[in-house]
Amino acid sequence: DNDVMSFYELYHAAVPLLMPDEKLMTKWLPSVRWGSLEFEHPNDPKPSPSLIRLDHGQGLQAWMNQSTLRNVLEAEGTSWIAAADYYRFPHVQYFHSVASLVQQLQSLSPATVATSMRRASQKIQSQTLAAYRQVLQH
């Protein structure tokens, strides 16, 4: 996903990031296009060609049909949010409303946040390289 790649690139470049908090993300999620896992048109009951290719004749898995809020809630499609790196990486800033976003922008110290993110990024990189070395040695 482009948004995930951008998140990692911006995070490791130590660009302060402001993200909706988990509750707001859950609320906004149904309005976000899901790309290849979305139905072609909101009222189209037929899945897109990419979904048909993933189907393999066994029926679509519940998590794949998140084109409406009802489908997301029925499939517990928002349960992944807390596990997403958006909410696991340190020093990402969160807002719960437009008013809190404006407040954060007014009080944010970009240099301080960037310094903290840079340190965290170096630690993440060291831990990741150590994990890969260990896997490759065994």
Side-chain angles (χ1 to χ4, degrees):
D1 287 337
N2 291 333
D3 59 326
V4 176
M5 289 172 45
S6 296
F7 171 80
Y8 292 124
E9 290 168 358
L10 292 169
Y11 187 90
H12 292 293
V15 175
L17 298 168
L18 290 117
M19 299 286 298
D21 66 14
E22 292 177 42
K23 186 175 179 181
L24 187 57
M25 178 67 88
T26 301
K27 181 180 177 181
W28 282 356
L29 204 55
S31 339
V32 176
R33 288 190 55 83
W34 287 83
S36 62
L37 296 181
E38 185 174 348
F39 287 85
E40 294 296 324
H41 303 286
N43 297 323
D44 186 359
K46 184 179 76 182
S48 69
S50 16
L51 276 178
I52 292 168
R53 283 193 299 276
L54 292 170
D55 179 9
H56 302 295
Q58 299 178 358
L60 298 174
Q61 295 187 24
W63 63 268
M64 295 173 114
N65 182 7
Q66 297 194 8
S67 56
T68 68
L69 177 58
R70 178 184 212 161
N71 293 339
V72 171
L73 296 175
E74 286 174 0
E76 297 181 14
T78 58
S79 60
W80 63 269
I81 291 175
D85 287 337
Y86 305 134
Y87 303 103
R88 294 180 47 238
F89 276 40
H91 314 296
V92 175
Q93 310 299 303
Y94 304 101
F95 60 92
H96 59 271
S97 66
V98 173
S100 74
L101 174 60
V102 170
Q103 182 182 15
Q104 290 238 13
L105 288 170
Q106 292 172 338
S107 63
L108 183 69
S109 171
T112 302
V113 173
T115 299
S116 298
M117 290 175 76
R118 199 171 291 110
R119 285 189 194 120
S121 176
Q122 291 168 347
K123 183 177 178 182
I124 291 167
Q125 182 181 7
S126 295
Q127 291 171 339
T128 302
L129 289 172
Y132 276 107
R133 282 188 191 106
Q134 184 178 13
V135 167
L136 293 173
Q137 288 175 354
H138 296 322

